[in-house]
Coordinates of all heavy atoms in Angstrom, one line a residue:
S134 N 215.1 65.7 189.8 CA 214.8 66.6 190.9 C 216.1 67.2 191.4 O 217.0 66.5 191.9 CB 214.1 65.9 192.0 OG 212.8 65.5 191.6
V135 N 216.3 68.5 191.1 CA 217.5 69.2 191.5 C 217.0 70.3 192.5 O 216.4 71.3 192.1 CB 218.2 69.8 190.3 CG1 219.5 70.5 190.7 CG2 218.5 68.7 189.3
C136 N 217.3 70.1 193.8 CA 216.9 71.0 194.8 C 215.3 71.1 194.7 O 214.7 70.1 194.7 CB 217.5 72.4 194.7 SG 219.3 72.3 194.9
D137 N 214.8 72.3 194.6 CA 213.3 72.4 194.5 C 212.9 72.6 193.0 O 211.8 73.1 192.8 CB 212.7 73.5 195.4 CG 213.5 74.8 195.3 OD1 214.4 74.9 194.5 OD2 213.1 75.7 196.1
C138 N 213.7 72.2 192.1 CA 213.4 72.3 190.6 C 213.2 70.9 190.0 O 213.8 70.0 190.5 CB 214.4 73.1 189.9 SG 214.6 74.8 190.4
E139 N 212.5 70.9 188.9 CA 212.5 69.7 188.1 C 213.3 70.1 186.8 O 212.8 71.0 186.1 CB 211.1 69.2 187.8 CG 210.3 68.7 189.0 CD 211.0 67.4 189.5 OE1 211.3 66.5 188.7 OE2 211.1 67.3 190.8
I140 N 214.3 69.4 186.4 CA 215.1 69.7 185.3 C 215.0 68.5 184.3 O 215.4 67.4 184.6 CB 216.6 70.0 185.6 CG1 216.6 71.2 186.6 CG2 217.4 70.3 184.4 CD1 218.1 71.6 186.9
T141 N 214.6 68.8 183.1 CA 214.6 67.8 182.0 C 215.6 68.1 181.0 O 215.6 69.2 180.3 CB 213.2 67.9 181.3 OG1 212.2 67.6 182.3 CG2 213.1 66.8 180.2
P142 N 216.6 67.3 180.8 CA 217.7 67.5 179.8 C 217.2 66.9 178.5 O 216.5 65.9 178.4 CB 218.8 66.7 180.4 CG 218.2 65.5 181.1 CD 216.9 66.1 181.7
T143 N 217.6 67.6 177.4 CA 217.3 67.1 176.0 C 218.6 67.1 175.2 O 219.3 68.2 175.2 CB 216.3 68.0 175.3 OG1 215.1 67.9 176.1 CG2 216.0 67.5 173.9
P144 N 219.0 66.0 174.6 CA 220.3 66.0 173.8 C 220.2 67.0 172.7 O 219.2 67.3 172.1 CB 220.3 64.6 173.3 CG 219.5 63.8 174.2 CD 218.4 64.7 174.6
T145 N 221.4 67.6 172.4 CA 221.5 68.6 171.3 C 222.6 68.0 170.4 O 223.3 67.1 170.7 CB 222.0 70.0 171.8 OG1 223.4 70.0 172.1 CG2 221.2 70.4 173.0
T146 N 222.7 68.6 169.2 CA 223.7 68.2 168.2 C 224.9 69.0 168.2 O 225.7 69.0 167.2 CB 223.0 68.3 166.8 OG1 222.6 69.6 166.5 CG2 221.8 67.4 166.7
H147 N 225.2 69.8 169.3 CA 226.3 70.7 169.4 C 227.6 69.9 169.1 O 228.5 70.5 168.5 CB 226.4 71.3 170.8 CG 227.6 72.1 171.1 ND1 228.0 73.1 170.3 CD2 228.5 71.9 172.1 CE1 229.1 73.6 170.8 NE2 229.5 72.9 171.8
L148 N 227.8 68.7 169.5 CA 229.0 68.0 169.4 C 229.0 67.0 168.2 O 229.8 66.0 168.2 CB 229.4 67.3 170.7 CG 229.5 68.2 171.9 CD1 229.7 67.4 173.2 CD2 230.6 69.2 171.7
Q149 N 228.1 67.1 167.3 CA 227.9 66.2 166.2 C 229.1 66.0 165.4 O 229.4 64.8 164.9 CB 226.7 66.6 165.3 CG 226.3 65.5 164.3 CD 225.9 64.2 164.9 OE1 225.1 64.2 165.9 NE2 226.4 63.1 164.4
A150 N 229.9 67.0 165.2 CA 231.1 66.9 164.4 C 232.1 65.9 165.0 O 232.8 65.1 164.4 CB 231.8 68.2 164.1
L151 N 232.1 65.9 166.4 CA 233.0 65.0 167.1 C 232.4 63.6 167.1 O 233.2 62.6 167.0 CB 233.2 65.4 168.6 CG 233.9 66.8 168.7 CD1 233.9 67.2 170.2 CD2 235.3 66.7 168.2
V152 N 231.1 63.4 167.1 CA 230.5 62.1 167.0 C 230.8 61.5 165.6 O 231.2 60.4 165.5 CB 229.0 62.2 167.2 CG1 228.3 60.9 166.8 CG2 228.6 62.7 168.6
D153 N 230.7 62.4 164.6 CA 231.0 61.9 163.2 C 232.5 61.5 163.1 O 232.8 60.5 162.4 CB 230.7 63.0 162.2 CG 229.3 63.3 162.1 OD1 228.4 62.5 162.6 OD2 228.9 64.4 161.6
R154 N 233.4 62.1 163.8 CA 234.8 61.8 163.7 C 235.2 60.6 164.5 O 236.0 59.8 164.1 CB 235.6 63.0 164.0 CG 237.1 62.8 163.9 CD 237.9 64.1 164.3 NE 239.3 63.9 164.2 CZ 240.2 64.8 164.5 NH1 239.8 66.0 164.9 NH2 241.5 64.5 164.5
F155 N 234.7 60.6 165.8 CA 235.2 59.6 166.7 C 234.2 58.5 167.1 O 234.6 57.5 167.8 CB 235.7 60.3 168.0 CG 236.8 61.2 167.8 CD1 236.6 62.6 167.8 CD2 238.1 60.7 167.6 CE1 237.7 63.5 167.6 CE2 239.2 61.6 167.4 CZ 239.0 63.0 167.4
G156 N 233.0 58.6 166.7 CA 231.9 57.6 167.1 C 231.1 58.2 168.2 O 231.3 59.2 168.8
N157 N 230.0 57.5 168.5 CA 228.9 58.0 169.4 C 229.1 57.6 170.8 O 228.1 57.7 171.6 CB 227.6 57.6 168.8 CG 226.5 58.5 169.4 OD1 226.7 59.6 169.7 ND2 225.3 57.9 169.5
G158 N 230.2 57.1 171.2 CA 230.3 56.7 172.6 C 230.5 57.8 173.6 O 230.4 57.7 174.8
R159 N 230.9 59.0 173.0 CA 231.1 60.2 173.9 C 230.4 61.4 173.2 O 229.5 61.2 172.4 CB 232.6 60.5 173.9 CG 233.4 59.4 174.6 CD 234.9 59.8 174.5 NE 235.2 61.1 175.1 CZ 236.3 61.8 174.9 NH1 237.2 61.3 174.1 NH2 236.5 62.9 175.5
F160 N 230.7 62.6 173.7 CA 230.3 63.8 173.1 C 228.8 64.0 173.2 O 228.1 64.2 172.2 CB 230.8 63.8 171.6 CG 232.2 63.3 171.4 CD1 232.5 62.2 170.7 CD2 233.2 64.0 172.0 CE1 233.8 61.8 170.5 CE2 234.6 63.6 171.9 CZ 234.8 62.4 171.1
H161 N 228.4 64.1 174.4 CA 226.9 64.4 174.7 C 226.8 65.8 175.2 O 227.4 66.2 176.2 CB 226.4 63.3 175.6 CG 226.5 61.9 175.1 ND1 226.7 60.8 175.9 CD2 226.4 61.4 173.8 CE1 226.8 59.7 175.2 NE2 226.6 60.1 173.9
A162 N 225.9 66.5 174.6 CA 225.5 67.9 175.1 C 224.0 68.0 175.3 O 223.3 67.3 174.6 CB 226.0 68.9 174.1
F163 N 223.6 68.8 176.2 CA 222.2 68.9 176.6 C 221.7 70.3 176.7 O 222.4 71.2 177.2 CB 221.9 68.1 177.9 CG 222.2 66.7 177.9 CD1 223.5 66.2 178.1 CD2 221.2 65.8 177.6 CE1 223.8 64.8 178.1 CE2 221.5 64.4 177.5 CZ 222.8 63.9 177.8
S164 N 220.4 70.5 176.3 CA 219.7 71.7 176.8 C 218.9 71.3 178.0 O 218.7 70.1 178.3 CB 218.8 72.2 175.7 OG 217.8 71.2 175.4
L165 N 218.5 72.3 178.8 CA 217.8 72.1 180.0 C 216.5 72.8 180.1 O 216.5 74.1 179.9 CB 218.7 72.5 181.2 CG 220.1 71.9 181.2 CD1 220.9 72.5 182.4 CD2 220.1 70.4 181.3
A166 N 215.4 72.1 180.4 CA 214.1 72.7 180.7 C 213.9 72.7 182.2 O 214.0 71.6 182.8 CB 213.0 72.0 180.0
I167 N 213.8 73.8 182.8 CA 213.8 73.9 184.3 C 212.5 74.5 184.7 O 212.0 75.5 184.3 CB 214.9 74.9 184.7 CG1 216.3 74.3 184.2 CG2 214.9 75.0 186.2 CD1 217.5 75.2 184.5
R168 N 211.8 73.7 185.6 CA 210.5 74.1 186.1 C 210.5 74.1 187.7 O 211.2 73.3 188.3 CB 209.4 73.1 185.7 CG 209.2 73.1 184.2 CD 207.9 72.3 183.8 NE 206.7 72.9 184.4 CZ 206.0 73.9 183.9 NH1 206.4 74.4 182.7 NH2 204.9 74.4 184.5
H169 N 209.8 75.1 188.2 CA 209.7 75.3 189.6 C 208.3 75.8 189.8 O 207.6 76.3 188.9 CB 210.7 76.4 190.0 CG 210.8 76.7 191.5 ND1 209.9 77.6 192.0 CD2 211.6 76.3 192.5 CE1 210.1 77.7 193.3 NE2 211.2 76.9 193.6
P170 N 207.7 75.6 191.0 CA 206.4 76.1 191.2 C 206.1 77.5 190.9 O 204.9 77.9 190.6 CB 206.2 75.8 192.7 CG 207.1 74.7 193.1 CD 208.3 74.9 192.2
I171 N 207.1 78.4 190.9 CA 206.8 79.8 190.6 C 207.5 80.3 189.3 O 207.4 81.5 189.0 CB 207.2 80.7 191.8 CG1 208.7 80.7 192.1 CG2 206.4 80.3 193.0 CD1 209.2 81.7 193.0

Side-chain angles (χ1 to χ4, degrees):
S134 294
V135 181
C136 299
D137 47 2
C138 295
E139 295 293 316
I140 299 184
T141 302
T143 299
T145 79
T146 61
H147 172 56
L148 302 177
Q149 187 60 46
L151 294 176
V152 173
D153 293 342
R154 181 178 177 185
F155 296 105
N157 200 27
R159 298 176 57 196
F160 315 117
H161 299 145
F163 296 88
S164 64
L165 306 176
I167 300 175
R168 294 191 63 88
H169 182 275
I171 64 170

